[in-house]
Amino acid sequence: MANNTNRREFLKNTGKAGLAAALALPVLDTLATGCNQAPTVKTGAATPYEQQPLPYAYNALEPAIDAATMEIHYTKHAATYAKNLAEAITAEKVDKNSTSLETLLSGISKYSAKMRNNAGGHYNHELFWQALKTPVEGAKPAGKLLAAIEKDFNSFDAFKTQFGDAAKNRFGSGWAWLIVGNDKKLAIVSTPNQDNPLMDIAEAKGFPVLGLDVWEHAYYLKYQNKRPDYIAAWWNAINWDFVQKRAAGIIG
Ligand code: MN3
């Protein structure tokens, strides 16, 4: 598969940051000072500009997320964001080799609406796929991540309630996020459309460790208007090992 060559080249070209990206490990570059500065926690782990292979089969997330939804979501919606992003970076002369996707997102206000929608759309979905796995009833985090959740939200159940509310209350299309802020604390935020907390235009900034897509295209085939049922099922399909790795080293 061509992807192996791409991955080798990617690692060769990006060194440590590339390795961190391959392992999905966050790298803490800088902690911004002051409260209104653009993005707080930065990561040197670069998300590739190209759509990556789905790490499991389309039916792997059933019954939480059905195979038809996954196939359309990955091959149509997410693939289109990646294609449109490629067009935008060519048109707006972004050098992919010297500018990581994360860096681009952190200065997204300088670019077009097409760049904002599709850089966000591509990044958000790459994270979304990786943070999912075959559902296990009652799946929950462990270790340092669970301890941080209990410290910052009082309990895992309280965290779930707060995150679920953010996802349910996002009017129209958007995302709910678990982020690490520059105070190294976990926080729950939501963004409209394909925005995300790395963007300089985001109301609440931070490094996203988990994201939930609440666009209707993510759930409508199986759940129709019942977004809360989709959210309830999604909890069982979270890949907490992945989320833990992403948060390791940047949570206080
Ligand atoms: Mn989507």
Side-chain angles (χ1 to χ4, degrees), residues 73 125 175 194 213 215 217:
H73 199 177
H125 287 85
W175 291 73
Q194 293 297 354
D213 187 344
W215 283 58
H217 70 224

Side-chain angles (χ1 to χ4, degrees), residues 8-252:
R8 259 199 312 278
E9 284 300 303
F10 179 71
L11 289 171
K12 198 174 74 192
N13 292 338
T14 54
K16 269 191 186 165
L19 182 61
L23 298 172
L25 299 175
V27 176
L28 192 62
D29 275 353
T30 55
L31 288 175
T33 52
C35 19
N36 285 322
Q37 295 187 3
T40 49
V41 177
K42 280 193 177 178
T43 175
T47 298
Y49 278 90
E50 296 75 29
Q51 188 179 39
Q52 300 300 294
L54 200 63
Y56 37 70
Y58 295 130
N59 65 359
L61 307 179
E62 291 196 351
I65 304 176
D66 60 290
T69 295
M70 282 301 292
E71 182 165 3
I72 296 166
H73 199 177
Y74 177 84
T75 65
K76 308 293 184 198
H77 296 279
T80 301
Y81 296 125
K83 176 180 155 286
N84 290 341
L85 171 60
E87 290 174 6
I89 63 173
T90 301
E92 296 173 49
K93 300 185 174 26
V94 173
D95 179 2
K96 284 193 289 184
N97 294 317
S98 63
T99 307
S100 71
L101 181 54
E102 286 79 1
T103 299
L104 178 79
L105 291 166
S106 74
I108 203 70
S109 61
K110 295 185 297 217
Y111 298 94
S112 66
K114 178 171 179 172
M115 186 77 86
R116 174 174 168 174
N117 291 335
N118 292 287
H122 171 64
Y123 179 91
N124 297 349
H125 287 85
E126 289 294 306
L127 172 56
F128 184 64
W129 312 132
Q130 291 182 79
L132 292 169
K133 66 172 189 54
T134 297
V136 176
E137 188 70 33
K140 62 185 287 191
K144 206 177 165 189
L145 178 60
L146 178 60
I149 286 172
E150 289 174 340
K151 179 163 68 72
D152 295 335
F153 302 100
N154 293 320
S155 69
F156 181 63
D157 283 344
F159 158 72
K160 278 180 74 173
T161 300
Q162 194 179 323
F163 192 101
D165 287 347
K168 284 173 214 164
N169 295 335
R170 166 48 54 193
F171 183 76
S173 298
W175 291 73
W177 304 98
L178 176 62
I179 62 169
V180 183
N182 67 340
D183 54 3
K184 296 195 166 192
K185 286 200 168 121
L186 295 166
I188 292 165
V189 299
S190 95
T191 54
N193 305 314
Q194 293 297 354
D195 287 357
N196 70 41
L198 290 175
M199 292 180 171
D200 56 354
I201 44 84
E203 275 176 38
K205 295 181 232 349
F207 181 67
V209 294
L210 176 67
L212 173 57
D213 187 344
V214 294
W215 283 58
E216 284 187 344
H217 70 224
Y219 63 87
Y220 203 86
L221 279 184
K222 181 177 168 87
Y223 296 98
Q224 293 83 48
N225 60 315
K226 299 184 282 288
R227 188 191 284 185
D229 291 359
Y230 158 68
I231 297 166
W234 169 80
W235 285 110
N236 293 331
I238 297 173
N239 183 345
W240 284 111
D241 287 342
F242 169 81
V243 180
Q244 165 97 38
K245 279 188 192 130
R246 226 174 135 80
I250 53 170
I251 44 178

